[in-house]
Amino acid sequence: MSQKSPFIVSADWLEERLHEPGLSILDGSWYLPAQGRNARAEYEAAHIPRAVFFDHDLVVDPDSDLPHALPEPLTFERFASSMGISERDTIVVYDGSGLFSAPRVWWLFRVMGVEEVFVLDGGFDRWRAEGRPVTSEPTKIAPTAFLPHFDRTRVARLADMRRIVEEGSAQVADARPAGRFTGAEPEPRAGMRSGHMPGAINVPATSLSEDGSLLPPGRLRKRLEDAGLDLEKPVVTSCGSGVTAAVITLALESLGHRDNRLYDGSWSEWGGRDDTPVVAGSE
């Protein structure tokens, strides 16, 4: 395990276990259009041996019009089983840049009851730069039976967020970049209003990592507290579509903070409605 977090494993740790049974490796890469990277194409060109591609745009609630909507347990069960994953496996998730979309996959499996799920320190870009084994061969998948144990208490819905914003019963940590949080920069998705939820605190996901690694505990705690979070109080994490919010969740959990939820609809839901309050600027 990594010294940075009990939920992060080193490249050495993973490479030593590449051939062990009961290990599932997931390429959880996903990128914004502005990043100019194609996650699936990159996976097909090169990935860690045994890795299976986790498609963030596919493993969703098919009945929701929100991007990356959390699937119901039975739907997730079908996806996980088709990827050859058991809830008893040790699961390691990585993404290309190191700490961007992999935490979302980590969070999804934890919400579905998996205990042994981790994020790879440094991601695939560092793994490959260090000369570790990669392959373009398709991973052979033996379908299995994944049994979910869904924990609804880790998820915040729209009704929850309305109460939280109105009552101030939890801190809202928004992982979007500062420009989008203040409304100075437009949202990448059409139809979204600019700004943030009243009372929300901006904690850009990129501010919690360095060179693809989660900040060490001392620096991580200071970064969160300097942003305005009280780590003794409840937190709800949010972002554009529920992906990078999980970076804050990973940071919180790594510091022992357990009273947190992730707002799955995030700004795609809140900013896409006309009946939710929105604040622009740095208020």
Side-chain angles (χ1 to χ4, degrees), residues 149-168:
H149 298 280
F150 184 40
D151 184 357
R152 293 185 181 275
T153 67
R154 308 307 300 273
V155 185
R157 304 292 190 181
L158 178 61
D160 301 316
M161 296 310 299
R162 289 187 189 276
R163 287 193 297 271
I164 288 168
V165 168
E166 181 178 348
E167 301 170 1

Side-chain angles (χ1 to χ4, degrees), residues 82-270:
S82 70
M83 288 186 279
I85 301 170
S86 165
E87 78 282 357
R88 299 180 300 277
D89 288 349
T90 296
I91 302 172
V92 177
V93 190
Y94 69 86
D95 61 42
S97 53
L99 208 68
F100 184 71
S101 56
R104 168 70 180 194
V105 185
W106 166 84
W107 177 80
L108 282 170
F109 277 95
R110 279 172 57 81
V111 166
M112 294 296 171
V114 178
E115 295 183 2
E116 295 293 306
V117 55
F118 307 95
V119 174
L120 175 64
D121 189 29
F124 184 68
D125 289 353
R126 185 190 297 174
W127 175 279
R128 182 163 52 180
E130 291 175 346
R132 299 180 189 273
V134 300
T135 183
S136 60
E137 292 296 317
T139 298
K140 295 181 180 179
I141 299 174
T144 186
F146 180 92
L147 182 62
H149 298 280
F150 184 40
D151 184 357
R152 293 185 181 275
T153 67
R154 308 307 300 273
V155 185
R157 304 292 190 181
L158 178 61
D160 301 316
M161 296 310 299
R162 289 187 189 276
R163 287 193 297 271
I164 288 168
V165 168
E166 181 178 348
E167 301 170 1
S169 53
Q171 302 164 102
V172 179
D174 190 322
R176 291 175 299 154
R180 289 170 57 191
F181 179 83
T182 62
E185 298 173 6
E187 288 295 307
R189 294 181 178 85
M192 299 289 104
R193 291 177 293 164
S194 295
H196 56 269
M197 287 175 264
I201 297 168
N202 191 206
V203 186
T206 53
S207 72
L208 303 178
S209 64
E210 191 171 82
D211 299 325
S213 292
L214 189 69
L215 295 177
R219 291 178 60 195
L220 187 61
R221 177 177 294 275
K222 186 175 188 304
R223 186 65 54 85
L224 293 170
E225 290 177 343
D226 286 351
L229 286 180
D230 183 339
L231 298 182
E232 301 300 319
K233 295 181 179 179
V235 179
V236 177
T237 63
S238 180
C239 60
S241 64
V243 174
T244 59
V247 177
I248 307 179
T249 303
L250 175 63
L252 291 169
E253 293 280 334
S254 297
L255 293 173
H257 187 284
R258 298 292 182 262
D259 192 0
N260 63 78
R261 290 183 284 172
L262 188 149
Y263 174 26
D264 192 57
S266 282
W267 197 252
S268 295
E269 181 172 48
W270 192 275

